[in-house]
Coordinates of all heavy atoms in Angstrom, one line a residue:
V250 N 33.8 249.2 64.4 CA 32.7 248.3 63.9 C 32.0 248.9 62.7 O 31.7 248.3 61.7 CB 31.7 248.0 65.0 CG1 30.4 247.4 64.5 CG2 32.3 247.1 66.1
I251 N 31.7 250.2 62.8 CA 31.1 250.9 61.7 C 31.9 250.9 60.4 O 31.4 250.7 59.3 CB 30.8 252.4 62.1 CG1 29.7 252.4 63.2 CG2 30.3 253.2 60.9 CD1 29.5 253.8 63.8
A252 N 33.2 251.1 60.6 CA 34.2 251.2 59.5 C 34.4 249.8 58.8 O 34.4 249.8 57.6 CB 35.5 251.7 60.0
L253 N 34.5 248.8 59.6 CA 34.9 247.5 59.0 C 33.8 246.5 58.6 O 34.0 245.5 58.0 CB 35.9 246.8 59.9 CG 37.2 247.5 60.2 CD1 38.1 246.7 61.1 CD2 37.9 247.9 58.9
R254 N 32.6 246.9 59.0 CA 31.5 246.0 58.6 C 31.1 246.1 57.2 O 30.3 245.3 56.6 CB 30.3 246.2 59.5 CG 29.5 247.5 59.3 CD 28.4 247.6 60.3 NE 27.7 248.9 60.1 CZ 26.7 249.3 60.9 NH1 26.3 248.5 61.9 NH2 26.1 250.5 60.8
G255 N 31.6 247.1 56.5 CA 31.4 247.3 55.1 C 30.5 248.5 54.8 O 29.8 249.0 55.7
P256 N 30.5 248.9 53.5 CA 29.8 250.1 53.1 C 28.2 249.9 53.1 O 27.8 248.8 52.8 CB 30.3 250.5 51.7 CG 30.7 249.1 51.2 CD 31.2 248.3 52.3
S257 N 27.5 251.0 53.5 CA 26.1 251.0 53.3 C 25.8 251.6 51.9 O 26.6 252.3 51.3 CB 25.4 251.9 54.4 OG 25.9 253.2 54.3
L258 N 24.6 251.2 51.4 CA 24.2 251.7 50.0 C 23.6 253.1 50.2 O 22.7 253.3 51.0 CB 23.3 250.7 49.4 CG 22.7 251.2 48.0 CD1 23.8 251.3 47.0 CD2 21.6 250.2 47.6
R259 N 24.1 254.0 49.3 CA 23.4 255.3 49.3 C 22.9 255.6 47.9 O 23.7 255.5 46.9 CB 24.5 256.4 49.7 CG 23.8 257.8 49.8 CD 24.7 258.8 50.4 NE 24.0 260.1 50.6 CZ 24.5 261.2 51.0 NH1 25.8 261.2 51.2 NH2 23.8 262.3 51.2
R260 N 21.6 255.9 47.8 CA 21.0 256.1 46.5 C 20.8 257.6 46.2 O 20.2 258.3 47.1 CB 19.7 255.4 46.4 CG 19.8 253.8 46.5 CD 18.4 253.2 46.5 NE 18.5 251.7 46.7 CZ 18.6 250.9 45.7 NH1 18.6 251.3 44.4 NH2 18.6 249.6 46.0
I261 N 21.2 258.1 45.1 CA 21.1 259.5 44.7 C 20.5 259.6 43.4 O 20.9 258.9 42.4 CB 22.5 260.1 44.7 CG1 23.2 260.0 46.1 CG2 22.4 261.6 44.4 CD1 22.6 260.7 47.2
E262 N 19.5 260.5 43.3 CA 19.0 260.8 41.9 C 19.5 262.2 41.5 O 19.5 263.2 42.2 CB 17.4 260.8 42.0 CG 16.9 259.4 42.2 CD 15.4 259.4 42.0 OE1 14.7 260.4 42.1 OE2 14.8 258.3 41.7
I263 N 19.9 262.2 40.2 CA 20.5 263.4 39.6 C 19.6 264.0 38.6 O 19.4 263.3 37.5 CB 21.9 263.1 39.0 CG1 22.8 262.4 40.0 CG2 22.6 264.4 38.6 CD1 23.3 263.1 41.2
P264 N 19.0 265.1 38.8 CA 18.1 265.7 37.8 C 18.8 266.4 36.7 O 19.6 267.3 37.0 CB 17.2 266.7 38.6 CG 18.1 267.1 39.7 CD 19.0 266.0 40.0
I265 N 18.6 266.0 35.5 CA 19.4 266.6 34.3 C 18.4 267.3 33.4 O 17.4 266.7 32.9 CB 20.1 265.5 33.6 CG1 21.1 264.8 34.6 CG2 20.9 266.1 32.4 CD1 22.2 265.6 35.1
E266 N 18.6 268.5 33.1 CA 17.8 269.3 32.1 C 18.0 268.7 30.7 O 19.1 268.4 30.3 CB 18.2 270.7 32.1 CG 18.0 271.5 33.3 CD 16.5 271.9 33.5 OE1 15.7 271.7 32.5 OE2 16.1 272.3 34.6
G267 N 16.9 268.4 30.0 CA 17.0 267.9 28.6 C 17.6 266.5 28.5 O 18.3 266.3 27.5
L268 N 17.5 265.7 29.5 CA 18.1 264.4 29.5 C 17.5 263.5 28.3 O 16.3 263.5 28.1 CB 17.8 263.6 30.8 CG 18.4 262.2 31.0 CD1 20.0 262.3 31.0 CD2 17.9 261.6 32.2
H269 N 18.4 262.9 27.6 CA 18.0 262.1 26.4 C 17.1 261.0 27.0 O 17.4 260.3 28.0 CB 19.3 261.5 25.8 CG 19.0 260.8 24.5 ND1 18.3 259.6 24.4 CD2 19.3 261.1 23.2 CE1 18.2 259.2 23.1 NE2 18.9 260.1 22.4
P270 N 16.0 260.7 26.3 CA 15.1 259.6 26.8 C 15.7 258.3 27.1 O 15.3 257.6 28.0 CB 14.0 259.5 25.7 CG 14.1 260.9 25.0 CD 15.5 261.3 25.1
A271 N 16.7 257.9 26.3 CA 17.4 256.6 26.5 C 18.2 256.6 27.8 O 18.5 255.5 28.2 CB 18.2 256.3 25.3
L272 N 18.5 257.7 28.3 CA 19.3 257.8 29.6 C 18.5 258.0 30.8 O 19.0 258.0 31.9 CB 20.3 258.9 29.4 CG 21.3 258.8 28.3 CD1 22.3 260.0 28.3 CD2 22.0 257.5 28.3
E273 N 17.1 258.0 30.7 CA 16.3 258.1 31.8 C 16.5 256.9 32.7 O 16.3 255.7 32.2 CB 14.8 258.2 31.4 CG 13.8 258.3 32.5 CD 13.7 259.6 33.2 OE1 14.1 260.6 32.6 OE2 13.3 259.6 34.4
G274 N 16.8 257.1 34.0 CA 17.0 255.9 34.9 C 18.4 255.3 34.8 O 18.6 254.2 35.4
L275 N 19.3 255.9 34.0 CA 20.7 255.3 33.9 C 21.3 255.2 35.3 O 21.2 256.1 36.1 CB 21.6 256.2 33.0 CG 23.0 255.7 32.8 CD1 23.1 254.7 31.7 CD2 24.0 256.8 32.7
R276 N 21.9 254.0 35.6 CA 22.4 253.7 36.9 C 24.0 253.7 36.9 O 24.6 253.0 36.1 CB 21.9 252.4 37.4 CG 20.4 252.4 37.5 CD 19.8 251.0 37.4 NE 20.2 250.1 38.5 CZ 19.5 250.0 39.6 NH1 18.4 250.7 39.8 NH2 19.9 249.2 40.6
I277 N 24.6 254.5 37.7 CA 26.0 254.6 37.9 C 26.4 254.2 39.3 O 25.9 254.8 40.2 CB 26.5 256.0 37.6 CG1 26.0 256.5 36.2 CG2 28.0 256.1 37.7 CD1 26.3 258.0 36.0
A278 N 27.2 253.1 39.4 CA 27.7 252.7 40.7 C 29.1 253.4 40.9 O 29.9 253.4 40.1 CB 27.8 251.2 40.8
Q279 N 29.2 254.0 42.1 CA 30.5 254.7 42.4 C 31.2 254.0 43.6 O 30.5 253.9 44.6 CB 30.3 256.2 42.7 CG 31.6 256.9 43.0 CD 31.4 258.3 43.5 OE1 30.3 258.8 43.8 NE2 32.5 259.1 43.6
I280 N 32.4 253.7 43.4 CA 33.3 253.2 44.5 C 34.4 254.1 44.6 O 35.1 254.4 43.6 CB 33.8 251.7 44.2 CG1 32.6 250.8 44.0 CG2 34.6 251.2 45.4 CD1 33.0 249.4 43.5
S281 N 34.7 254.6 45.8 CA 35.8 255.6 45.9 C 36.6 255.4 47.2 O 36.0 254.9 48.2 CB 35.2 257.0 45.9 OG 36.2 258.0 45.8
D282 N 37.8 255.7 47.2 CA 38.6 255.7 48.5 C 38.5 254.4 49.2 O 38.3 254.4 50.4 CB 38.2 256.9 49.3 CG 38.4 258.2 48.7 OD1 37.5 258.7 47.9 OD2 39.5 258.8 48.8
L283 N 38.7 253.3 48.5 CA 38.7 252.0 49.1 C 39.9 251.8 50.0 O 39.8 251.1 51.1 CB 38.6 250.9 48.0 CG 38.3 249.5 48.4 CD1 37.0 249.4 49.2 CD2 38.3 248.6 47.2

């Protein structure tokens, strides 16, 4: 049931030293091992 009902959303924040202001809040969706 846990496996086949579909993926849950996991939100992760990545702190980057000297991040360019235009990239603040950039959102990357990752899908893996489908």
Side-chain angles (χ1 to χ4, degrees):
V250 169
I251 294 170
L253 296 183
R254 70 182 177 184
S257 58
L258 176 61
R259 187 169 187 188
R260 297 177 184 269
I261 303 293
E262 292 193 335
I263 311 290
I265 303 296
E266 295 283 348
L268 182 66
H269 192 290
L272 301 181
E273 177 77 24
L275 182 87
R276 297 155 67 88
I277 305 167
Q279 182 188 8
I280 303 172
S281 190
D282 299 87
L283 192 55

